[in-house]
Amino acid sequence: RPMTSDELSALGRSLLTPNAAVELVVLALCLGLAWGVTRALHRRQTDNHSVLFGRRLVDGALFPLLSLGFTLLAQHLLAAWGQVPPAVLRIAVALLLSLAVIRVLVRVLRAAFPDSELVRLVERWLSWAVWLGMILWFTGVMPAMLEELEGVSWKLGSGRITLRALLEGAFNAVIVLFLALWLSAAIEARLLQKGRMTDLSLRKIA
């Protein structure tokens, strides 16, 4: 959730306490565990266009997703054991969430369009957009912007549509498009790997 100015100040002070050192150790353990699991699974992977793995060990989406999951679990356990509200882990969760979103979107684009030069340009702008959006949301600027967008509206027939609704609808459409690209790329890769369909038309129909 977004943070208020008082919460941001308290978060900054928490980074200078001894608890922050403990959280850094826990975060390092979470990243190490995610790296080990990813390495063990990567050895069995032969598809360079896989969304979860990619060409290198940490190039796919699996490593940031596992790191995010382990960090969230550690944050929950520290809170259950009476630890003060985590500061380092909270920042790490926001960073890992952004990295996971970027990796998933980039790997889906590369799997769907492996030889496209335009994809490389889109990847760069997409990364900047995700990082900027996470910063604006984490600092509480994004909710204020959404409230302002809610005030801009047009009358459409008997109803009224807002600028925020248009932007959210476009965002949801993009997410659905990426999921469809991921699914179609995975199905086509399976068909090519098994050699069940050699005709291009039949693969596209499937």
Side-chain angles (χ1 to χ4, degrees), residues 13-65:
R13 293 191 297 268
S14 300
L15 295 176
L16 303 178
T17 62
N19 292 326
V22 177
E23 292 183 57
L24 285 174
V25 174
V26 173
L27 177 61
L29 292 175
C30 293
L31 295 177
L33 182 59
W35 182 83
V37 174
T38 305
R39 182 179 181 183
L41 296 176
H42 188 268
R43 294 176 178 176
R44 306 176 184 179
Q45 180 65 26
T46 58
D47 183 13
N48 291 331
H49 298 292
S50 172
V51 175
L52 292 178
F53 295 96
R55 296 180 181 274
R56 297 186 298 273
L57 184 62
V58 295
D59 191 35
L62 184 61
F63 175 73
L65 288 174

Side-chain angles (χ1 to χ4, degrees), residues 47-134:
D47 183 13
N48 291 331
H49 298 292
S50 172
V51 175
L52 292 178
F53 295 96
R55 296 180 181 274
R56 297 186 298 273
L57 184 62
V58 295
D59 191 35
L62 184 61
F63 175 73
L65 288 174
L66 287 177
S67 301
L68 177 62
F70 291 146
T71 305
L72 285 172
L73 179 60
Q75 186 180 21
H76 177 73
L77 292 177
L78 288 179
W81 290 339
Q83 183 82 358
V84 295
V88 175
L89 293 184
R90 186 168 186 180
I91 296 176
V93 165
L95 295 177
L96 291 173
L97 178 60
S98 300
L99 181 59
V101 171
I102 292 172
R103 280 300 178 193
V104 169
L105 297 181
V106 167
R107 292 306 307 174
V108 168
L109 284 176
R110 288 184 180 178
F113 310 102
D115 301 323
S116 175
E117 293 293 336
L118 181 61
V119 169
R120 294 181 175 86
L121 179 62
V122 173
E123 290 175 6
R124 187 177 301 109
W125 286 101
L126 188 63
S127 301
W128 281 106
V130 172
W131 285 118
L132 180 61
M134 179 57 68

